[in-house]
């Protein structure tokens, strides 16, 4: 019979280290492959009048007037976060798991947090409010980003691609959770977005592309996407409802 080796602290450490390498090495190799395949430097655009023409063409293609007249947007993002956003009052109810957070962007003192309908206060409340704001900033952007190209703090420029097509580069110097992010919009002949590439702090790879597709015309006439694809990942937006007051 083969004699078992004694589990000394040194041997245990060796086993643990081997397990970590076994688990992490494929992940590191995959990340390295994706990084060298997709990572791109932020392109340099020209801030010309043509950039605003492109931006306005995109807004016209999506019926921006209808979006501006929309007071209320409700949706679920990735089956995880649900939003009841009152654009006119600048408030939003954010739901996830068993939490509900009422956000008032005009008066933070009116923010409220509930867990299973029980109100939470103090430090736990503050942390959950910050999480709800982060969810709001990220998830609503995936729904209404094209309508935000003229937001305060944005700059717009034209980038000429390798195939000589033009794309619209929008950079946000303020607002949201990660100011400084840039998005390169690829438009079809009508000005409707097909996809954008992202240079954002939360992603380790620069220039990743996500589609903007499966558009729906809402009850108020605003056009909103219901699906994005980024590499092999799908981002679903469900239960979209809009109203005018």
């Amino acid at each position: 019979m083969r004699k078992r080796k004694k589990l000394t602290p040194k041997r245990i450490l060796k086993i643990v280290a081997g397990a970590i390498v076994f688990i992490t090495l494929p992940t590191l190799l995959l990340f390295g492959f994706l990084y060298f395949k997709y990572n791109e430097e932020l392109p340099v655009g020209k801030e010309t009048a043509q950039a605003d023409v492109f931006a306005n063409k995109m807004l016209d293609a999506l019926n921006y007037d209808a979006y501006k007249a929309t007071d209320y947007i409700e949706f679920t993002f990735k089956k995880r976060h649900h939003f009841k956003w009152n654009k006119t009052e600048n408030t939003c109810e954010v739901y996830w798991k068993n939490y509900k957070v009422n956000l008032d962007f005009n008066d933070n003192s009116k923010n409220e947090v509930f867990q299973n309908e029980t109100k939470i206060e103090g430090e736990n409340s503050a942390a959950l409010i910050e999480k709800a704001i982060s969810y709001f900033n990220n998830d609503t952007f995936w729904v209404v980003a094209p309508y935000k190209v003229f937001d305060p703090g944005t700059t717009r420029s034209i980038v000429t691609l390798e195939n000589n097509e033009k794309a619209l580069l929008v950079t946000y110097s303020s607002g949201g959770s990660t100011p400084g992010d840039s998005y390169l919009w690829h438009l079809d002949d009508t000005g409707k977005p097909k996809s954008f590439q992202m240079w954002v702090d939360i992603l380790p790879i620069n220039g990743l592309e996500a589609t903007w597709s499966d558009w729906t015309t809402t009850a108020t006439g605003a056009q909103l996407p219901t699906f994005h694809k980024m590499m092999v990942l799908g981002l679903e937006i469900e239960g979209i409802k809009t109203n005018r007051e």
Side-chain angles (χ1 to χ4, degrees):
M1 178 182 288
R2 185 178 179 183
K3 187 177 180 180
R4 293 183 180 179
K5 293 183 178 180
K6 186 178 180 180
L7 286 177
T8 63
K10 183 177 180 180
R11 181 165 175 76
I12 292 172
L13 183 61
K14 187 176 181 179
I15 292 171
V16 172
I20 292 173
V21 170
F22 179 78
I23 294 171
T24 59
L25 184 58
T27 302
L28 291 173
L29 290 173
L30 177 61
F31 173 77
F33 169 77
L34 294 175
Y35 183 87
F36 286 107
K37 181 177 177 62
Y38 292 106
N39 191 71
E40 296 183 20
E41 293 292 327
L42 179 66
V44 177
K46 295 182 179 179
E47 293 184 35
T48 65
Q50 187 184 16
D52 286 357
V53 171
F54 262 58
N56 280 308
K57 185 177 182 180
M58 179 166 67
L59 293 178
D60 290 341
L62 296 176
N63 198 350
Y64 182 50
D65 288 338
Y67 172 76
K68 285 192 297 183
T70 299
D71 299 297
Y72 174 87
I73 300 176
E74 181 176 344
F75 68 94
T76 299
F77 185 74
K78 292 176 60 177
K79 301 183 186 295
R80 298 176 186 175
H81 310 146
H82 187 71
F83 301 86
K84 296 181 179 180
W85 177 23
N86 192 312
K87 287 173 61 227
T88 302
E89 295 182 0
N90 206 19
T91 61
C92 188
E93 297 175 14
V94 184
Y95 300 81
W96 75 96
K97 295 182 179 179
N98 58 347
Y99 296 109
K100 172 188 173 183
V101 178
N102 296 329
L103 297 175
D104 189 321
F105 297 106
N106 296 324
D107 186 351
N108 293 337
S109 68
K110 295 181 180 180
N111 292 342
E112 296 178 306
V113 179
F114 298 88
Q115 184 178 18
N116 293 325
E117 299 184 0
T118 299
K119 190 171 184 179
I120 301 175
E121 297 182 304
E123 291 184 3
N124 291 335
S125 170
L128 290 167
I129 288 170
E130 287 303 312
K131 181 173 286 190
I133 292 173
S134 178
Y135 288 158
F136 175 86
N137 287 338
N138 179 78
D139 299 358
T140 58
F141 193 83
W142 283 103
V143 178
V144 302
Y147 297 111
K148 297 174 66 64
V149 293
F150 284 101
D151 275 11
T154 57
T155 57
R156 291 156 301 283
S157 56
I158 289 293
V159 172
T160 302
L161 307 176
E162 290 182 356
N163 60 4
N164 288 323
E165 290 186 1
K166 307 292 184 182
L168 175 67
L169 181 65
V170 180
T171 298
Y172 294 80
S173 62
S174 61
S177 298
T178 55
D181 293 347
S182 294
Y183 303 85
L184 185 66
W185 289 95
H186 300 268
L187 312 178
D188 66 17
D189 292 339
T190 69
K192 199 167 188 176
K194 298 185 296 184
S195 66
F196 66 16
Q197 291 177 263
M198 298 169 283
W199 286 262
V200 298
D201 282 344
I202 62 173
L203 292 178
I205 299 176
N206 290 323
L208 283 180
E209 188 168 12
T211 65
W212 281 72
S213 62
D214 296 73
W215 294 88
T216 184
T217 301
T218 66
T220 58
Q223 295 189 50
L224 300 176
T226 61
F227 186 78
H228 305 283
K229 184 177 181 181
M230 182 170 61
M231 293 193 294
V232 298
L233 301 177
L235 307 179
E236 295 179 338
I237 301 160
E238 300 174 302
I240 295 176
K241 299 177 184 177
T242 60
N243 284 314
R244 289 195 183 103
E245 292 184 350

